[in-house]
Amino acid sequence: MKKVILIKYGELTTKKDNRNFFIRTLRKNILSKLSNFDFEIVDDYYRMFIIPSSDEDIDLIVENLKNIFGIHEIVVAFMSEDISENNIKEMSLKIMKDLDFKTFKVETKRSDKTYPIKSMDMNNIIGSHILKNIDCNVDVHMPDTILNVEIRKEAVYIYNTSIPGLGGYPVGTLGRGLLMLSGGIDSPVAGYLTIKRGVELYYLYFESRPHTSIEARNKVISLARKLEKYNSKGKLLVVNFTKIQEAIYKNLDPSYLITIMRRKMYTIAEKLAKRYNCLAIINGESIGQVASQTLSSILSVNDVTNYPILRPLCSFDKLDIIDISKKIDTYDISILPYEDCCTVFVPKHPVINPNLKHIYEEESKFDFEPLIQEAVKTVEVVDLEEKISDLL
Ligand code: ATP
Ligand code: MG
């Protein structure tokens, strides 16, 4: 008998028409994330099997599968092409002898309905064989362990433990989105939750050198790389935002600085989203978290675009966001103390309820259009594979 990994799709089952597309994408994502390993994939409508060339790779492959969206459950199973009653009994006994339990039950599934022994009968045959050879009892309600036996045309698969997968949809099945990624705690979490829904991400970072440092940029690169564990071939777009920020700072009402700066960010984000085939813009805003995230601030900023802006954290408490950022290992990077462009020019009293009429008056004092065009034209695409110094 040989060890194989069995993958259960979970939520994909609800997507009847698209099912084959989802499975194909999941398969492609697995092949790309596991490119260092030698294995074969066999899939059907219900399951995917990963058959490694060497049993030694199993644990590492499972670790990698735990970070792939679209997988509901991961099972390490013993497989044999010999589907005779006798072999199944002996395999089952061998597996159970290695386990520590007092009570058990057997659950047989026959996907091959021409198999001559019915599932219930198979449960009894295997169960009695185990009872005869191991000191234990059957408990069909609350057993210590369940022995799952799946009999298919080509082979039998036997297993007793399963590992939860991340769930969600395979990355890329729902198109591409553009994540506004700052160095903070929130935006990486917003990105993670969006990737979970099958959206592949590009990242967008506004930098204001020399007011912000190279460390601040490296922090964003590090965060993007953490998200790349789940994402597929993302690119980081870096916009030089210095001239726009300075123009706002020098010419307009200081209490509206953040509101107008964010309007310019959204304007540029929309143009880049279109250029890079992103179907939505995603950010880490959470209602009420800061002055620029009151509903009336969001309304005033959103006013510059008709593009879909997704805010996966809009109703999250900060502590819940922090929990996720720790789980996805972005927290320690996010709390590094390098200033973001939003924090260098913070006004003493940012407006909490911005007034659109006043915004239009302020914006008419300066012609931003050439600067916006220049910022879009000079966007830099950063290679996320490239080495950077010193960050976590
Ligand atoms: P975060 O913790 O993600 O930095 P925040 O609570 O500090 O969020 P803001 O600074 O108001 O909130 O930013 C709200 C959202 O706007 C961020 O979550 C992010 O999506 C986006 N954003 C802010 N600054 C930048 C930036 N320099 N580059 C790209 N996106 C940004
Ligand atoms: Mg921030």
Side-chain angles (χ1 to χ4, degrees):
M1 66 188 182
K2 184 173 170 40
K3 271 188 183 174
V4 300
I5 300 163
L6 191 161
I7 287 169
K8 302 187 182 179
Y9 308 135
E11 208 179 339
L12 296 197
T13 50
T14 57
K15 294 266 168 266
K16 283 205 175 66
D17 297 341
N18 286 334
R19 201 179 164 95
N20 285 332
F21 168 61
F22 276 65
I23 296 170
R24 257 197 333 271
T25 309
L26 178 60
R27 186 191 170 101
K28 192 179 90 203
N29 293 348
I30 290 175
L31 285 169
S32 133
K33 295 282 179 197
L34 298 181
S35 59
N36 291 337
F37 299 95
D38 191 21
F39 61 90
E40 195 190 328
I41 295 191
V42 180
D43 57 58
D44 69 14
Y45 212 66
Y46 305 99
R47 301 257 188 280
M48 193 175 280
F49 296 93
I50 294 190
I51 307 160
S53 306
S54 153
D55 274 5
E56 281 171 21
D57 289 339
I58 294 259
D59 290 348
L60 268 177
I61 291 180
V62 168
E63 277 315 301
N64 279 276
L65 291 173
K66 282 187 196 167
N67 296 325
I68 297 179
F69 286 120
I71 297 177
H72 178 65
E73 223 177 300
I74 306 162
V75 170
V76 178
F78 291 90
M79 176 193 107
S80 170
E81 281 158 18
D82 177 355
I83 58 172
S84 67
E85 176 188 334
N86 214 28
N87 184 51
I88 296 176
K89 272 164 58 181
E90 291 316 319
M91 271 174 81
S92 302
L93 182 60
K94 204 161 165 217
I95 293 164
M96 293 300 265
K97 273 189 174 160
D98 283 341
L99 300 178
D100 189 18
F101 68 98
K102 287 260 171 303
T103 57
F104 76 103
K105 100 177 188 191
V106 181
E107 278 185 4
T108 304
K109 274 199 203 112
R110 285 181 315 163
S111 71
D112 172 14
K113 297 293 176 209
T114 62
Y115 192 75
I117 307 169
K118 291 211 168 81
S119 301
M120 284 297 275
D121 297 337
M122 205 63 197
N123 289 344
N124 291 332
I125 293 170
I126 299 169
S128 336
H129 191 57
I130 292 168
L131 286 172
K132 238 185 264 161
N133 290 282
I134 302 176
D135 180 19
C136 61
N137 290 307
V138 169
D139 180 345
V140 289
H141 303 294
M142 288 267 286
D144 294 340
T145 189
I146 298 176
L147 187 73
N148 296 278
V149 178
E150 291 199 21
I151 307 172
R152 298 162 59 94
K153 261 204 166 57
E154 76 288 356
V156 57
Y157 301 86
I158 307 183
Y159 57 89
N160 86 307
T161 41
S162 76
I163 303 155
L166 277 187
Y169 295 136
V171 178
T173 47
L174 271 297
R176 181 182 297 145
L178 184 62
L179 172 69
M180 296 171 66
L181 183 61
S182 63
I185 294 170
D186 304 325
S187 45
V189 174
Y192 170 80
L193 294 174
T194 309
I195 302 170
K196 178 167 188 179
R197 303 315 295 166
V199 178
E200 164 191 306
L201 291 186
Y202 274 17
Y203 311 99
L204 173 61
Y205 170 56
F206 293 89
E207 82 172 349
S208 281
R209 303 273 287 277
H211 310 295
T212 60
S213 61
I214 186 73
E215 286 83 3
R217 170 197 278 234
N218 284 348
K219 190 175 162 185
V220 172
I221 296 177
S222 291
L223 290 170
R225 282 191 182 161
K226 288 282 180 195
L227 291 174
E228 279 302 287
K229 198 159 109 187
Y230 310 97
N231 193 38
S232 165
K233 300 198 173 68
K235 289 185 196 304
L236 171 65
L237 314 177
V238 180
V239 168
N240 181 342
F241 203 51
T242 314
K243 286 185 191 162
I244 294 172
Q245 262 195 308
E246 287 176 352
I248 299 171
Y249 188 64
K250 280 184 200 142
N251 299 293
L252 312 187
D253 175 353
S255 65
Y256 273 68
L257 192 149
I258 300 264
T259 312
I260 293 174
M261 186 187 81
R262 295 190 65 74
R263 284 167 62 90
K264 302 308 168 205
M265 282 185 173
Y266 274 36
T267 303
I268 294 170
E270 179 189 315
K271 291 182 192 297
L272 291 170
K274 286 180 177 159
R275 184 196 284 180
Y276 288 94
N277 297 322
C278 299
L279 305 175
I281 295 164
I282 301 105
N283 70 33
E285 287 173 334
S286 173
I287 299 167
Q289 198 185 79
V290 285
S292 62
Q293 293 170 27
T294 60
L295 284 185
S296 78
S297 288
I298 291 175
L299 180 76
S300 312
V301 173
N302 216 140
D303 168 67
V304 295
T305 178
N306 285 323
Y307 223 67
I309 314 272
L310 310 182
R311 300 173 178 87
L313 305 183
C314 77
S315 65
F316 275 54
D317 288 348
K318 191 78 186 187
L319 289 179
D320 297 332
I321 300 172
I322 289 175
D323 279 350
I324 301 178
S325 78
K326 288 184 175 161
K327 197 180 91 190
I328 63 172
D329 207 21
T330 52
Y331 181 77
D332 289 338
I333 302 171
S334 294
I335 59 172
L336 292 171
Y338 308 116
E339 289 208 284
D340 177 42
C341 70
C342 287
T343 45
V344 273
F345 292 96
V346 187
K348 277 212 182 70
H349 301 291
V351 60
I352 290 173
N353 290 305
N355 174 300
L356 269 176
K357 199 162 150 267
H358 184 59
I359 290 173
Y360 299 151
E361 279 163 15
E362 284 299 303
E363 283 183 336
S364 68
K365 291 181 184 165
F366 187 87
D367 182 11
F368 285 98
E369 196 46 39
L371 293 186
I372 286 177
Q373 277 181 20
E374 186 187 335
V376 171
K377 213 165 126 197
T378 57
V379 66
E380 195 184 330
V381 182
V382 173
D383 181 1
L384 290 170
E385 307 280 307
E386 210 174 88
K387 286 260 168 298
I388 48 165
S389 53
D390 281 335
L391 287 188
L392 303 173

